[in-house]
Structure formats: C-alpha cells, structure tokens
Amino acid sequence: MSDQTTPTAVAKTAKITPKNAAFDFRKYRPFAFAPSLPDRTWPSKTIEKSPIWASVDLRDGNQALIDPMTIEQKMRFFKTLVEVGFKEIEIGFPSAAQVEFDFTRKLIEENHVPDDVTLQVLVQAREHLIARTFESLKGVKRAVVHVYNSTSRVQREKVYAKNKDEIKEIAITGAKLLKEYAAKYPETDWVFQYSPESFSQTETEYAVEVCDAVCDVWQPQQGQEVIFNLPATVEASMPNVFADQVEYFCRNLPQREHVIISLHTHNDRGCAVAAAELGVLAGADRIEGTLLGNGERTGNMDIMVMAMNLFSQGIDPELDFSNMSEIVQVVSECNNLPLHPRHPYVGELVFTAFSGSHQDAIKKSLDYNENNQTETDNVWDVAYLPIDPAHIGRSYQDVVRINSQSGKGGVAYILQRNYGFNLPRWMQIDFSRVVQKQAEAVARELQNDEILQTFEDTYLQQGKFELLDYNVSNKGGEVYFSGQVQMNNDTIDIDGTGNGPLSSFIDGLAQHTGKSLHIINYAEHAINPHHNSGNGIDDDTNSDNKTNANAAAYIQLNVDGEVYSGIGTCSSTVSAMLKGALSAFAQALSVAAA
C-alpha cells in the first residue's frame, strides 16, 4: 500500500478556515433541539380550516416599538382588530406599566369589548405581578391570563442559573397563583394560558414535562380551559424542525385532548409564517401573531399573510381583509413604521409587473377569462397574480406599470384598460419599441398619461396629414373612392378603385404618390363610450357608416418594401380604417424625409 496521501483524503482532513476572520462561521453549531420523530405525520397533511387567531399587536408588537403606543393609539388599533374579526386579542402587560393597566381598565369600564371578543393579558410567574394583573381585569366577562417563564437551556444556564427542576417549579408556582387569584373573581370566565418561553430552544421532552406539571395544577380534564402556547421566541431552526417539535409535543402531552395548542413564531430566519403553517399541520389549534409582522428583532408571525395564504387556497380565514388599505394605514400609523413596497399582499408593488413577459401573461390571462366566462367557472386563475386584487380593495390600476424592462403586453394592457385600445399583436410589437426607447431616454417609470401621449403622437397626430372628405360608391362590382387628403399643407384629390373602401383608398394614394402600397394586416374594434374622453378619438360627419360607439382601426402597410403601422379612430368604422392607413403612410413619408 502506498504511503502517499490521496487528494480526497487531504480534502477530508484539511482544516477549514473562514476567508474573513471577522465573519467566522465556526462560532455556530447546528440546531441541537430537534426531537427524534422518524414517523412524523405532518408532511402528508393539509390545512383545511382556519386556526384560532390571537392578535398580539397591542402587547408583543407594542413592546417592540421605538415609541410605544398611547392609549388613544391602542384604542384605535383595538377597534380595527375587532372589525377585522379577531375574537382573541392580547391587549397588554397590565402589571408592567401604568399605561397598560389604564388601557385595560378603559376597555372594561367603558364597555369597548364586544361579547364575542376575549381579552388576553401577559404576566410573568411572580405573585405581585399576577395580583396586579387580575386587578386590572376586574369586571371583565371573559379573559385569557397568559403566564410564562423561560425553559430554554441557554436561559436556564446563563440567565437564571437554575436546573430543570427549579425552572419547572417556577411554572408550577405560576400556575397555582393563577388558579388562586382567579378564584377571587368568580364572575369572570377565566382561561389559563402557559408558555414555556423559548420553546423552540428547549429540549422538547422537557417542555412536555413542564407543561404536564402545569396540567396537574390546572386540571383541564375537569373543565378548566387551558392553552399551551409554544413560542419560537427566537427562530433558530428550519420550519420543518419546528413542526417536528410541535408534533412531538402534541403526541406526548398526556392531557392533549383537553387543551388548546397555540403557536407564537418569530421571524429571525425569515420563516415565521412557514413555521406556523407547518406547526398547524403538526397539530396546533391556534396562532398568535401581529398584523404586518411587527415584533422584536425581525418581527412576529404576520397573521395577515398567513390568513391571506389560506384565502388564496380557497379556505375561509375567518378574518376580513377586504378593506386592506385602511387596515394597513391604521397599523402603520399606530406603529409608526413604514410598509415595505414588496410586503406580501399589501405592499404598493406586490400586484405590479414591470417585466414584459409577466405583463404579457397577465394580459392574456385576463383577456382569456373575460372571453370565456361561464356561470360555473368562477375560479381565479391568472398568471402571476395569486389572488384577485379586488378582493382586498385594490384596483387593477397598478397591476401593470411600464419602464424600460416592460414589453408589448404591458403597454397593450395599459392602453386597453385605461383608454379602450385593444392593440393586435403586430401593433403591440411596433408600439412597444417606441415606448421602450422613451423609457430608456428618461431612465424611469412612465406614467399612464405619458404612454397615451406617446401613442397619440406616434399614430393619431400625424402632423399635417388629414383625411378631409370622401365618398365611396359601388359600380359594376368595384368600389370607387373619391376624396381629399391634406398632406403638408396641400390639399390633394385622391381617386382609386378596389374591392372595398380601404383598398380603393390605398390605390388612390399609390397612384398619386407613385409608391408601392400593400396592406399587410388590418384589425378594428369598437371602443366603449367611457374610454372616449381625452384619448384623441374624434367624430366624422362625412360618412353614413356610423356606429353607436367610437371605432379604432389598426393598419399595417408595406410602403416600398418597408413595413409601417398606423391607427385611426372615429365614430365611423370606414373613416377609422382610412385614417389608420393614412397614419401608416404618414409614418413612411416621415421616415423617408428624415
């Protein structure tokens, strides 16, 4: 055997060092608290109904603000949460600050709490704080008192310097105190909630042990309502690992059938919504979070996003976000935090496509749906749009916006949606080149009125080229055109023959100018009356061929071997096609002159 070390062996035994000592990945270790769950069942499940939602905006969200909310802001936020449909709302930490206590009293004493809404408050497992908490809730019809203590290894060892038994005893003591103080206020329907804080970084079997000890105190099997809330106080693992922790907990808690399992995920790894969704698959009944995801560090689980995810899958989220713009305004103003333009579902740009291929697909999907409507097929199915923006109070105004990256479909969509021009494909290609050059020249997004102006300048206002008057007649199977056209301040008589008004007009133009003219493509459509204002459409009183709505005609003309496109609009379809041909011809002369 050779003593020479192979390259593979060297690679396996070489010491790996970071390229930058200040960015040293060796300080970190793989997640250490994943339970062994080889027979996990959650991957094969689907979410079929909405979980119980609990908003913690007024507590967890509030504590993460640079400037915590005033009582007035909290009241405005609370009313919005009620209007959205939340039935459980954590309103604060009454024992932590006077403003929190006063807000709790204000809600109760002034009857701001609907009968179907349950208040929730947070408190540490310490007697004087628990006593103050129950005092704040005096007279409430129903309330959740949420007690917690941290159970994670790092907190046990480095923060509290206590062993597992001592930490469990804190939880047991807190549970006993809740039961004791609740008995002093028998007029209230009390729900007890316990959180092993930092559940995600706690040995899962130990979390089960602590919660089972709390069950021994509260006796949920005897009728006491109990919630166990499992927080990913710090998101430290992939969502699938968190789901394993939740399923392990649900399987192994002896009183599982008598309690509600709640989740409270944070967004340190950017996966809070995913972790909550997988946690529901793993057996959780309830979700705590905030609207738009405000919370400590990178934020809490965004209830709006998770609810809209369900909505987009045809599941009733049991929360109403149809007035999304107003909800976002309240949340942003009360939190004094801006909303990212790409925030899922609600950001300014989330339903906006700049990419040409995206715009084209959106336009074609919407056109297909409009042209193939049936009474039984009302399912939303549009490329690049996961939901109908109208369902959350958004219009189609900003679905497509135009910059230098945009393509023919986007430009066509703008003209069709706003101004009634349904450009055929060959015209889309022609005009998109014009728009792209303009966008590149100004180096920014183009506004709709700028696109319309460019459209009119290119096709509808061809300088001094104008169809003045004409007459079309049939003789011996041929169509005769006779009329006048203004070209560069000269009035020119045009006479021609053909098999229709357009071909006879083209024949007359060819005879007068000596150019070779051939029609390549032609299309026309009526324009709805509500699109007529301010879009360059005019009337023509010289023809008997009028329509009830204005018409647009698109002409692609071969002039001496080169292809040019033109558009004409008029209340007469014949006049529109003639103007379209003149528009294309005027472009040809303009290019030749340049």
Side-chain angles (χ1 to χ4, degrees):
M1 175 182 258
S2 172
D3 291 333
Q4 184 177 3
T5 304
T6 64
T8 302
V10 171
K12 290 181 178 179
T13 59
K15 184 177 182 181
I16 300 175
T17 58
K19 295 179 181 179
N20 184 344
F23 191 66
D24 190 352
F25 57 86
R26 296 173 302 177
K27 281 183 173 286
Y28 307 99
R29 294 291 180 270
F31 186 73
F33 303 102
S36 176
L37 201 69
D39 57 341
R40 60 183 62 84
T41 63
W42 61 262
S44 61
K45 296 181 179 178
T46 57
I47 299 177
E48 297 178 347
K49 65 177 183 177
S50 172
I52 302 166
W53 302 111
S55 162
V56 296
D57 291 89
L58 300 177
R59 201 282 305 168
D60 205 355
N62 187 53
Q63 78 172 27
L65 299 176
I66 297 173
D67 299 310
M69 283 180 266
T70 63
I71 286 181
E72 291 73 20
Q73 288 174 317
K74 275 200 160 194
M75 184 61 71
R76 182 186 180 199
F77 208 137
F78 177 82
K79 290 181 178 179
T80 297
L81 294 171
V82 171
E83 289 173 359
V84 169
F86 283 96
K87 302 305 180 185
E88 297 184 11
I89 302 173
E90 190 168 82
I91 58 171
F93 204 140
S95 63
Q98 189 61 44
V99 67
E100 301 285 280
F101 186 95
D102 292 344
F103 177 63
T104 305
R105 295 310 307 154
K106 182 179 180 68
L107 287 175
I108 297 169
E109 292 173 359
E110 297 181 7
N111 297 315
H112 293 294
V113 186
D115 289 341
D116 62 347
V117 173
T118 299
L119 300 185
Q120 178 173 309
V121 294
L122 186 70
V123 64
Q124 292 174 324
R126 301 168 65 183
E127 182 168 8
H128 69 287
L129 300 179
I130 290 173
R132 179 73 166 162
T133 298
F134 276 92
E135 181 185 350
S136 74
L137 290 168
K138 184 177 180 181
V140 71
K141 180 179 179 181
R142 174 181 167 88
V144 177
V145 181
H146 180 188
V147 65
Y148 72 97
N149 68 295
S150 187
T151 57
S152 68
R153 177 194 52 77
V154 66
Q155 295 258 31
R156 294 194 312 263
E157 295 177 358
K158 298 184 178 181
V159 179
Y160 298 109
K162 294 182 181 295
N163 61 33
K164 288 182 176 180
D165 287 340
E166 290 171 319
I167 291 294
K168 182 170 66 173
E169 190 57 38
I170 294 174
I172 293 171
T173 299
K176 290 178 178 178
L177 289 169
L178 253 63
K179 191 172 182 179
E180 175 185 335
Y181 277 88
K184 297 179 181 181
Y185 302 91
E187 71 279 8
T188 296
D189 181 11
W190 297 109
V191 180
F192 297 155
Q193 177 169 322
Y194 172 72
S195 287
E197 189 194 2
S198 300
F199 165 81
S200 56
Q201 293 177 297
T202 299
E203 303 88 339
T204 315
E205 65 275 9
Y206 176 61
V208 171
E209 179 184 334
V210 173
C211 290
D212 187 38
V214 170
C215 273
D216 288 341
V217 177
W218 285 343
Q219 295 293 301
Q221 70 274 23
Q222 300 300 322
Q224 173 60 55
E225 290 188 68
V226 171
I227 301 170
F228 283 120
N229 189 54
L230 308 180
T233 308
V234 176
E235 185 180 36
S237 72
M238 293 175 65
N240 63 298
V241 175
F242 182 72
D244 280 355
Q245 291 177 300
V246 173
E247 182 168 339
Y248 182 97
F249 184 94
C250 291
R251 282 195 200 180
N252 291 280
L253 184 72
Q255 297 296 333
R256 170 64 184 101
E257 63 180 306
H258 301 293
V259 303
I260 291 173
I261 302 298
S262 177
L263 305 180
H264 182 118
T265 57
H266 279 248
N267 205 41
D268 300 87
R269 291 170 55 97
C271 301
V273 171
E277 290 178 330
L278 297 190
V280 170
L281 295 179
D285 311 297
R286 180 179 184 267
I287 296 294
E288 292 188 350
T290 62
L291 295 183
L292 308 186
N294 172 50
E296 294 282 17
R297 304 178 309 281
T298 55
N300 280 45
M301 205 287 300
D302 189 335
I303 285 183
M304 182 280 299
V305 170
M306 184 171 173
M308 290 305 301
N309 287 351
L310 296 179
F311 181 84
S312 72
Q313 300 298 305
I315 299 170
D316 182 1
E318 300 181 12
L319 296 174
D320 184 359
F321 290 110
S322 59
N323 192 15
M324 188 69 83
S325 296
E326 183 176 328
I327 295 167
V328 169
Q329 181 179 358
V330 171
V331 175
S332 297
E333 290 179 357
C334 289
N335 287 339
N336 194 24
L337 291 173
L339 179 69
H340 195 285
R342 298 291 184 188
H343 193 103
Y345 296 104
V346 296
E348 177 188 359
L349 299 178
V350 296
F351 296 115
T352 300
F354 289 103
S355 162
S357 61
H358 291 200
Q359 293 171 346
D360 188 56
I362 290 171
K363 179 182 183 300
K364 288 177 178 176
S365 295
L366 292 173
D367 288 347
Y368 180 91
N369 290 352
E370 184 175 349
N371 296 328
N372 295 274
Q373 291 179 348
T374 66
E375 293 183 1
T376 58
D377 184 14
N378 193 33
V379 177
W380 181 256
D381 185 27
V382 174
Y384 297 110
L385 293 179
I387 67 166
D388 185 345
H391 282 146
I392 57 173
R394 295 280 292 269
S395 70
Y396 292 100
Q397 181 176 356
D398 294 327
V399 167
V400 171
R401 288 162 64 173
I402 306 301
N403 61 18
S404 61
Q405 303 298 308
S406 304
K408 62 183 184 302
V411 175
Y413 178 82
I414 295 292
L415 291 174
Q416 179 182 6
R417 180 196 65 198
N418 292 348
Y419 308 111
F421 291 103
N422 189 10
L423 274 61
R425 178 177 172 80
W426 45 268
M427 179 60 76
Q428 294 177 25
I429 295 171
D430 187 84
F431 185 51
S432 67
R433 296 190 186 111
V434 177
V435 172
Q436 186 172 35
K437 288 180 180 178
Q438 182 185 8
E440 289 174 346
V442 299
R444 60 169 172 80
E445 176 189 357
L446 296 179
Q447 301 302 312
N448 291 347
D449 58 349
E450 293 178 301
I451 295 170
L452 177 62
Q453 188 63 56
T454 300
F455 182 73
E456 291 181 342
D457 292 345
T458 304
Y459 302 112
L460 299 177
Q461 297 177 6
Q462 286 301 318
K464 299 175 182 179
F465 290 74
E466 184 179 355
L467 178 67
L468 299 177
D469 194 9
Y470 69 90
N471 182 63
V472 176
S473 59
N474 292 283
K475 296 179 181 179
E478 287 191 303
V479 176
Y480 290 82
F481 177 92
S482 176
Q484 291 182 321
V485 172
Q486 179 177 293
M487 290 187 184
N488 296 322
N489 295 323
D490 294 328
T491 300
I492 298 170
D493 293 325
I494 301 293
D495 295 288
T497 60
N499 57 12
L502 181 58
S503 62
S504 60
F505 177 59
I506 294 298
D507 176 65
L509 280 177
Q511 290 185 49
H512 180 82
T513 63
K515 292 184 176 293
S516 173
L517 304 179
H518 303 284
I519 299 170
I520 300 175
N521 281 304
Y522 167 75
E524 67 176 31
H525 65 80
I527 301 176
N528 292 333
H530 72 272
H531 287 301
N532 292 348
S533 178
N535 63 4
I537 296 174
D538 58 354
D539 278 335
D540 188 323
T541 59
N542 299 321
S543 171
D544 294 330
N545 298 306
K546 294 182 180 296
T547 61
N548 293 328
N550 286 293
Y554 308 90
I555 308 292
Q556 194 173 50
L557 202 62
N558 184 308
V559 182
D560 290 341
E562 299 293 330
V563 178
Y564 301 91
S565 298
I567 299 175
T569 60
C570 193
S571 59
S572 159
T573 55
V574 172
S575 294
M577 73 173 71
L578 298 179
K579 290 182 177 183
L582 187 60
S583 168
F585 184 68
Q587 287 195 60
L589 296 187
S590 176
V591 170

